[in-house]
């Protein structure tokens, strides 16, 4: 069982019983005490549980990892605007990689380009695009993660290494001055390979991501364009300027595009 699956099972148990001991984790998941302790450390780092003597408990201010479906309804209008801007960058006959993200899903929903080849490990994006007869879909196969609506595992990266794309669209859990952040280490590995296999990597993130936090970092060096719905905080904007990353920003009915260049 992958660590992501174990963490979700532990969270589910703690949400129902308020606490969980190391022995409970070992028994429920059939793992060693060392593995149980590593899982506890991971959950404590994420801030979704607090450590207790002999196990974990819900924090006083409960903060769960939101499911994909719950995230889908958050900031819907912002994601739709960002998705439309991003979708307009795709040209006919291009090969495009779509990462698993509710904002990237909005990109897929609004693609008007024809005869593209879509590559993804998102169950929902496959469903959205499968109704179109003017494109091809290549599914990056792996194990099913039902809650986050994706396929995962070593085979996803193995398949990416065999492909070449014109563009890749990725989301982010958080955007900080030193890069994009994600909740799982595997997320970053997949996104790095997507960037290596694509001529252009486009990150899509609504304004809430600039004040969010997460654990694992993807350096801005992998990113070519950032599309967002509100002004980028100055400390992040300066970094993007320095790294020649284009910012495309939508505010109400206006679209603002800034070609960044390092003039120093």
């Amino acid at each position: 069982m992958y660590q992501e699956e174990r963490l979700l099972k532990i969270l589910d148990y703690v949400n129902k019983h308020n606490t969980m001991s190391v022995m409970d984790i070992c028994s429920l998941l059939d793992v060693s005490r060392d593995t149980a302790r590593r899982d506890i450390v991971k959950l404590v780092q994420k801030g979704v549980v607090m450590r207790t003597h002999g196990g974990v408990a819900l924090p006083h201010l409960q903060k769960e990892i939101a499911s994909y479906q719950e995230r889908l309804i958050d900031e819907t209008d912002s994601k739709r605007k960002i998705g439309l801007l991003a979708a307009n960058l795709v040209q006919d006959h291009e090969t495009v990689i779509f990462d698993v993200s509710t904002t990237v899903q909005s990109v897929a929903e609004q693609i008007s380009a024809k005869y593209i080849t879509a590559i993804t490990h998102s169950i929902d994006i496959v469903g959205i695009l499968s109704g179109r007869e003017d494109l091809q879909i290549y599914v990056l196969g792996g194990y099913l993660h039902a809650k986050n609506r994706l396929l995962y595992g070593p085979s996803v990266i193995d398949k990416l290494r065999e492909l070449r794309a014109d563009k890749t669209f990725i989301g982010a859990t958080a955007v900080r001055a030193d890069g994009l952040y994600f909740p799982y280490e595997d997320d970053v590995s997949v996104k790095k390979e997507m960037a290596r296999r694509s001529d252009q990597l486009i990150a899509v993130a609504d304004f809430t991501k600039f004040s969010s936090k997460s654990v694992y970092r993807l350096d801005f060096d992998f990113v070519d364009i950032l599309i967002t719905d509100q002004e980028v905080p100055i400390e992040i904007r300066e970094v993007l300027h320095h790294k020649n990353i284009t910012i495309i920003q939508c505010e109400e009915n206006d679209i603002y595009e800034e070609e960044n260049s390092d003039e120093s």
Side-chain angles (χ1 to χ4, degrees):
M1 183 184 299
Y2 283 83
Q3 187 179 45
E4 292 178 17
E5 294 179 281
R6 297 198 306 271
L7 298 184
L8 289 171
K9 287 182 180 295
I10 294 169
L11 273 178
D12 183 62
Y13 185 99
V14 174
N15 285 330
K16 291 176 180 176
H17 301 88
N18 295 317
T19 62
M20 190 175 192
S21 69
V22 172
M23 291 307 298
D24 289 334
I25 296 173
C26 294
S27 177
L28 177 67
L29 304 180
D30 191 25
V31 296
S32 67
R33 292 178 67 90
D34 286 342
T35 298
R37 291 192 184 98
R38 284 194 293 270
D39 289 348
I40 288 174
V41 169
K42 184 77 68 174
L43 289 171
V44 170
Q45 288 174 342
K46 293 177 185 298
V48 293
V49 300
M50 63 179 184
R51 195 159 195 166
T52 64
H53 180 69
V56 293
L58 286 178
H60 296 299
L61 295 176
Q62 186 171 342
K63 180 184 175 185
E64 298 180 31
I65 298 175
S67 70
Y68 186 92
Q69 291 90 337
E70 290 167 342
R71 298 198 309 272
L72 194 61
I73 63 175
D74 292 339
E75 304 298 336
T76 304
D77 189 54
S78 296
K79 292 175 181 178
R80 180 179 54 78
K81 290 179 180 179
I82 294 168
L84 179 59
L85 287 180
N88 287 338
L89 297 180
V90 180
Q91 304 297 313
D92 293 351
H93 301 285
E94 286 191 327
T95 298
V96 183
I97 300 174
F98 295 95
D99 188 28
V100 178
S101 156
T102 53
T103 310
V104 173
Q105 180 175 325
S106 183
V107 180
E109 290 170 344
Q110 300 180 82
I111 289 285
S112 59
K114 297 181 179 180
Y115 312 114
I116 70 170
T117 298
I119 301 168
T120 189
H121 58 313
S122 163
I123 299 169
D124 293 290
I125 291 177
V126 169
I128 288 165
L129 297 179
S130 61
R132 292 184 51 171
E133 297 181 355
D134 60 341
L135 55 77
Q136 291 184 318
I137 303 172
Y138 184 91
V139 181
L140 298 167
Y143 295 100
L144 173 64
H145 194 307
K147 185 172 183 178
N148 284 342
R149 310 288 295 167
L150 58 86
L151 300 168
Y152 70 96
S155 58
V156 172
I157 291 180
D158 289 343
K159 288 297 182 183
L160 280 169
R161 287 173 179 154
E162 301 173 359
L163 303 170
R164 190 72 207 171
D166 297 287
K167 293 180 174 72
T168 288
F169 292 97
I170 67 169
T173 302
V175 182
R176 313 296 289 182
D178 59 346
L180 308 177
Y181 278 82
F182 304 90
Y184 304 116
E185 191 171 11
D186 288 349
D187 289 338
V188 176
S189 299
V190 169
K191 288 162 181 59
K192 284 182 179 178
E193 195 58 41
M194 287 178 170
R196 294 185 184 108
R197 309 313 305 164
S198 181
D199 294 337
Q200 192 173 56
L201 187 133
I202 303 164
V204 290
D206 65 73
F207 72 97
T208 64
K209 303 305 189 293
F210 297 114
S211 58
S212 298
K213 295 181 180 180
S214 198
V215 182
Y216 297 100
R217 183 174 68 93
L218 177 70
D219 194 277
F220 279 130
D221 289 342
F222 290 93
V223 180
D224 297 294
I225 297 174
L226 172 67
I227 303 180
T228 187
D229 60 323
Q230 293 189 21
E231 187 172 356
V232 178
I234 185 63
E235 66 274 12
I236 299 176
R237 181 180 292 275
E238 289 176 351
V239 174
L240 300 181
H241 270 290
H242 180 71
K243 292 183 176 291
N244 298 317
I245 297 172
T246 298
I247 302 170
I248 302 178
Q249 174 189 321
C250 54
E251 293 187 40
E252 296 180 354
N253 295 323
D254 298 325
I255 298 173
Y256 171 74
E257 181 171 346
E258 180 177 339
E259 290 290 346
N260 287 311
S261 60
D262 184 6
E263 299 177 352
S264 59

